[in-house]
Amino acid sequence: MANKEKSAEMVSENVEVFRCPICHFPVKVFGLKSLVCPNNHTFDFAKQGYVNMMTRPSSSHYDKKLFEARQKIIMKSNLYTFLHEKISEVIGKYLDASHAPAVILDAGCGEGSHLQRILEECNNDSITAIGLDISKEGIVMAAKNYQSPIWLVGDLANAPLEDQSYQVVLNVLSPANYMEFKRILTSDGLIIKVVPRSNYLKELREALFIDKNKRDYDNDEIVSLFKQHFHLEKYFKLSYVKELSQTELMNLVQMTPLAWKSEKEQIDTFIKQNSVGVTVDLDILVGYKRKKRGGK
Ligand SMILES: C[S@@+](CC[C@H](N)C(=O)[O-])C[C@H]1O[C@@H](n2cnc3c(N)ncnc32)[C@H](O)[C@@H]1O
Ligand SMILES: [Zn+2]
């Protein structure tokens, strides 16, 4: 079966977790070709197996080259292994606490590799995964590379997703829309948000002379906003250094917009090194939509 039909089947098995982004009515899969609402708003499955549910043309700064570099770093280097392991552990514990089966959304999934790695790590058939991103480039790549999640082009500020239908929302290094996250999460739902700390990829920033006058950065504002919407259950600080090879350094430079404003000379000096220890410095915020029973 082609990707398009496979994806349409997966969506039809879980059709209750989607909704029309225009009129907000439930949708149905029609002829394994489209998602259609009662007002005939129609969203076609693309041949790669994703659905575009944008209501307006979207523009993103992220291009194909950037997403390809991200995919290589996430899948082939071990730069984010600890992150994937930690998130999978959090999800595993949540599922064990009688929350399975679960529908998991990766909001702002980019080209989908983090979601794919986390699912591999979870290795749990009771998970249905959905990746949503406003960038068509990212979602096309995700759909071509990874078959088990459902991939949607969509805006997380007007998510084409049904109320109270998601057990877990992941939000990795991407913008958030907490009103939407609260709307789609079940009452026991969990949010896992990953935010950079001040030393995140600091070797790259230093080499490209970015943030020279940077003050010590803290996450107080992000944490405080998060706490206005969710009950912060856990707060993990993930800080480590991984050695990257020359090829990996090239991908590292291309996977963020940091290099866009840099001189070629600075980039060349950085990628000519045989290997460099690169710092990953992230916070993982884990919150519940409502206080856990027995929680403070
Ligand atoms: C830094 S990238 C992170 C992507 C992915 N989570 C990763 O870590 O590789 C931020 C992502 O947020 C997406 N994004 C930005 N605004 C969005 C919106 N309103 N709705 C959905 N996705 C959005 C971008 O297209 C981009 O893929
Ligand atoms: Zn509609």
Side-chain angles (χ1 to χ4, degrees):
M1 198 188 272
N3 277 1
K4 179 173 163 170
E5 283 78 29
K6 266 194 237 161
S7 166
E9 285 217 326
M10 277 198 296
V11 171
S12 63
E13 283 160 21
N14 299 281
V15 76
E16 66 287 350
V17 306
F18 304 95
R19 77 173 195 186
C20 174
I22 300 169
C23 65
H24 299 170
F25 275 102
V27 284
K28 282 193 174 145
V29 175
F30 183 75
L32 291 189
K33 280 194 177 137
S34 322
L35 271 173
V36 186
C37 79
N39 292 316
N40 267 334
H41 299 128
T42 303
F43 307 92
D44 293 338
F45 287 88
K47 67 172 186 302
Q48 296 90 343
Y50 69 91
V51 193
N52 189 338
M53 299 191 81
M54 287 297 292
T55 54
R56 56 183 169 83
S58 68
S59 68
S60 167
H61 301 303
Y62 299 104
D63 60 4
K64 195 167 167 217
K65 208 168 150 198
L66 181 147
F67 282 127
E68 277 168 0
R70 267 192 116 74
Q71 197 233 354
K72 285 185 191 139
I73 287 284
I74 298 169
M75 296 311 266
K76 297 200 175 126
S77 82
N78 56 6
L79 193 63
Y80 293 104
T81 306
F82 289 149
L83 175 70
H84 302 140
E85 286 173 357
K86 193 75 217 171
I87 293 179
S88 311
E89 189 188 308
V90 172
I91 294 175
K93 283 192 183 147
Y94 177 75
L95 296 179
D96 288 348
S98 68
H99 291 104
V103 185
I104 296 185
L105 170 75
D106 185 356
C109 63
E111 49 66 51
S113 296
H114 284 307
L115 179 59
Q116 175 69 18
R117 281 289 296 111
I118 289 164
L119 292 174
E120 286 168 8
E121 199 69 39
C122 286
N123 191 20
N124 190 320
D125 288 342
S126 74
I127 297 175
T128 298
I130 291 155
L132 174 96
D133 201 283
I134 204 163
S135 162
K136 190 173 150 193
E137 301 271 16
I139 292 296
V140 168
M141 200 176 297
K144 279 186 186 165
N145 288 326
Y146 313 121
Q147 259 80 62
S148 85
I150 293 166
W151 301 108
L152 302 179
V153 184
D155 186 354
L156 54 82
N158 175 30
L161 310 172
E162 193 49 270
D163 297 358
Q164 305 218 23
S165 303
Y166 292 74
Q167 278 72 27
V168 181
V169 170
L170 291 176
N171 187 222
V172 182
L173 302 170
S174 291
N177 185 303
Y178 293 135
M179 296 308 285
E180 280 295 82
F181 293 173
K182 280 193 288 191
R183 177 180 69 73
I184 63 169
L185 276 169
T186 58
S187 56
D188 286 338
L190 187 76
I191 172 166
I192 304 172
K193 179 167 178 66
V194 179
V195 285
R197 296 173 54 86
S198 54
N199 286 329
Y200 182 58
L201 308 182
K202 81 172 158 83
E203 295 75 10
L204 179 63
R205 287 168 199 276
E206 282 168 8
L208 304 183
F209 299 108
I210 289 167
D211 301 343
K212 253 193 304 188
N213 303 319
K214 191 180 61 161
R215 288 180 297 123
D216 261 359
Y217 165 89
D218 62 45
N219 281 325
D220 290 359
E221 268 180 37
I222 293 178
V223 176
S224 141
L225 186 63
F226 185 91
K227 278 176 160 172
Q228 284 171 30
H229 293 276
F230 294 96
H231 300 278
L232 183 64
E233 169 76 9
K234 287 207 174 88
Y235 187 47
F236 301 103
K237 176 174 178 288
L238 216 58
S239 215
Y240 53 87
V241 177
K242 286 278 178 196
E243 205 67 29
L244 294 191
S245 69
Q246 197 171 57
T247 323
E248 290 169 341
L249 290 179
M250 280 189 223
N251 288 320
L252 185 75
V253 167
Q254 287 174 1
M255 78 165 210
T256 79
L258 290 177
W260 294 349
K261 289 186 199 145
S262 309
E263 301 292 329
K264 189 173 174 307
E265 257 176 43
Q266 294 162 355
I267 297 173
D268 285 349
T269 313
F270 184 68
I271 60 181
K272 270 188 191 139
Q273 303 172 91
N274 281 333
S275 74
V276 174
V278 172
T279 305
V280 171
D281 191 23
L282 297 168
D283 276 330
I284 308 178
L285 312 182
V286 180
Y288 278 93
K289 185 164 145 180
R290 70 164 183 211
K291 266 187 204 168
K292 270 205 325 177
R293 273 187 293 276
K296 279 177 273 169

